[in-house]
Amino acid sequence: MTVSRISCAFFAFAISVLLLSSRPYGRRDDADLNHISLHRSSLEVDPANITLNQSHDVALQFGRPDNTFNFTSSPNLVARAINYLLAICKGGQFWDDIQKAFNGQRPAGQNFGPNDFNNGWTGTQVQGGLGGLPPGWDPAFASFANGRVPNAAEVLNYQAAQNKGFRNSRGNPVENPTGARFHVLYVPSHNAMVARYVESPSNLLTSRQVPHGDIPNLIPPLHRLSDLSWYTYSQFSPNPVNLRYIGHHFITNRDTLAVIDRLLQAVYGANAQNIPWPGLRFDMNNDAAKALLATPNGVGIAYLMLDRAVVLGRRHPVVYIWNFNGFRCMLWDLVPVGS
């Protein structure tokens, strides 16, 4: 059973009405995490799908129209509010828009280069600095590379920090950086990247209780996970168009964890604390995949596909979630259509 478009439209409308009197957060997207409320609800399981029984949760608002300095097209899809049912709806909206982008029906994201990156960020490359892949990831890499796990020299640790001044969207210098960090493992030999740690500029400013209206002028123009990921991967890979695997290692975002744990527990129950690769697999015909796409750790991948659709070509993603000794992981396989 899947959530119908009519149900999604009804819930999106209802939540939009409820939220008219709420004070909005700064615009939520990709790495601007942590403002999604995913409340508990009961699951029902059938062999083909995992979906949600009727929920009466109240979702919290986040989001407002895009700021003019966004690098990506970043469309407003549905009211920026989530519980599990609305996560399915929001993820479905994302997927509809991604397919339109694959068909050339949506504008592509803007291009950017070293000058854009250097306006606020410094980056450090550490070849094999952490000894290869994180724990629990060897079987995943082996499964999509004919059994070959990359050696440490093939795993490029890239760390970027927003620790220098920049000029904001008004052209004014900003000398008080947010201290945001972006740490990703790039494995071009396997067409893959795995985020180890991401903390966005706007999330840090929000945590410091900076007024939301001031945030757009206090973050560097290039600040979203989708943009940072695409730019840096394209610097290290000889064929960035071949990017296929995007993962999140040891997820800590509580809203993403709420969705992952709900799905794992629905299938494995008390045994969900240690579910090795491949764990659970969902494609975009499944409500669970739509909900995962709408999580804080999934939405950056959604925007990357949306804004780079013309370059990447048509894809039909599938997502894996597993629990390595209490640490939850997520891997998206952006399967080329026709492969």
Side-chain angles (χ1 to χ4, degrees):
M1 182 175 73
T2 59
V3 175
S4 70
R5 292 174 184 271
I6 294 175
S7 297
C8 285
F10 172 79
F11 274 93
F13 172 77
I15 293 297
S16 297
V17 172
L18 287 172
L19 297 176
L20 286 176
S21 61
S22 300
R23 182 171 67 90
Y25 286 96
R27 190 224 180 254
R28 225 245 38 84
D29 168 71
D30 310 3
D32 301 347
L33 310 179
N34 295 333
H35 298 304
I36 300 176
S37 179
L38 293 160
H39 304 297
R40 292 183 178 275
S41 298
S42 58
L43 282 169
E44 62 181 12
V45 181
D46 64 52
N49 204 352
I50 292 182
T51 129
L52 186 72
N53 286 327
Q54 193 79 349
S55 168
H56 300 287
D57 295 333
V58 177
L60 302 179
Q61 182 185 20
F62 61 112
R64 65 181 183 210
D66 296 340
N67 298 313
T68 57
F69 60 82
N70 286 350
F71 280 87
T72 58
S73 55
S74 302
N76 289 313
L77 300 176
V78 297
R80 297 278 202 290
I82 285 187
N83 59 23
Y84 189 84
L85 182 58
L86 285 175
I88 296 172
C89 295
K90 183 173 187 279
Q93 284 271 36
F94 266 120
W95 180 230
D96 287 346
D97 272 62
I98 290 167
Q99 292 180 90
K100 291 177 183 177
F102 285 142
N103 293 327
Q105 297 174 280
R106 294 200 65 91
Q110 296 179 12
N111 293 321
F112 37 80
N115 289 338
D116 300 308
F117 178 81
N118 292 332
N119 186 19
W121 295 87
T122 57
T124 304
Q125 302 178 34
V126 185
Q127 193 79 21
L130 295 178
L133 296 175
W137 282 80
D138 284 8
F141 273 75
S143 69
F144 53 69
N146 297 320
R148 191 178 77 82
V149 177
N151 58 49
E154 293 176 300
V155 180
L156 175 69
N157 287 289
Y158 186 78
Q159 304 175 67
Q162 201 273 291
N163 58 7
K164 55 192 274 190
F166 60 93
R167 290 190 176 273
N168 63 23
S169 59
R170 298 176 181 175
N172 300 321
V174 175
E175 301 299 339
N176 184 25
T178 64
R181 289 187 288 164
F182 170 73
H183 182 186
V184 175
L185 303 179
Y186 292 99
V187 194
S189 63
H190 287 59
N191 301 318
M193 60 182 175
V194 179
R196 291 185 67 98
Y197 181 88
V198 177
E199 192 163 24
S200 74
S202 63
N203 182 57
L204 283 168
L205 291 173
T206 299
S207 68
R208 297 172 189 164
Q209 300 184 331
V210 173
H212 294 290
D214 295 338
I215 289 177
N217 293 311
L218 296 174
I219 57 179
L222 188 63
H223 62 276
R224 296 205 170 87
L225 177 58
S226 57
D227 291 336
L228 288 164
S229 298
W230 180 253
Y231 168 73
T232 49
Y233 185 80
S234 67
Q235 302 304 298
F236 304 132
S237 173
N239 298 297
V241 68
N242 293 331
L243 175 62
R244 177 160 172 175
Y245 305 99
I246 306 177
H248 284 274
H249 164 66
F250 291 4
I251 293 168
T252 59
N253 181 278
R254 61 184 177 84
D255 301 317
T256 303
L257 292 177
V259 176
I260 292 176
D261 288 346
R262 190 172 299 171
L263 297 172
L264 290 174
Q265 290 168 13
V267 176
Y268 296 105
N271 297 319
Q273 287 302 308
N274 188 17
I275 305 300
W277 169 269
L280 296 179
R281 176 189 183 276
F282 306 102
D283 68 20
M284 293 309 300
N285 296 318
N286 193 299
D287 283 343
K290 296 180 178 71
L292 289 164
L293 191 67
T295 63
N297 292 86
V299 74
I301 297 163
Y303 274 108
L304 189 149
M305 286 190 289
L306 186 69
D307 290 307
R308 308 298 152 196
V310 174
V311 176
L312 291 172
R314 292 185 62 82
R315 306 292 182 98
H316 190 85
V318 298
V319 58
Y320 298 83
I321 54 172
W322 69 100
N323 187 336
F324 181 77
N325 293 330
F327 295 98
R328 272 77 94 204
C329 304
M330 177 192 297
L331 175 67
W332 289 85
D333 179 355
L334 310 185
V335 182
V337 172
S339 64

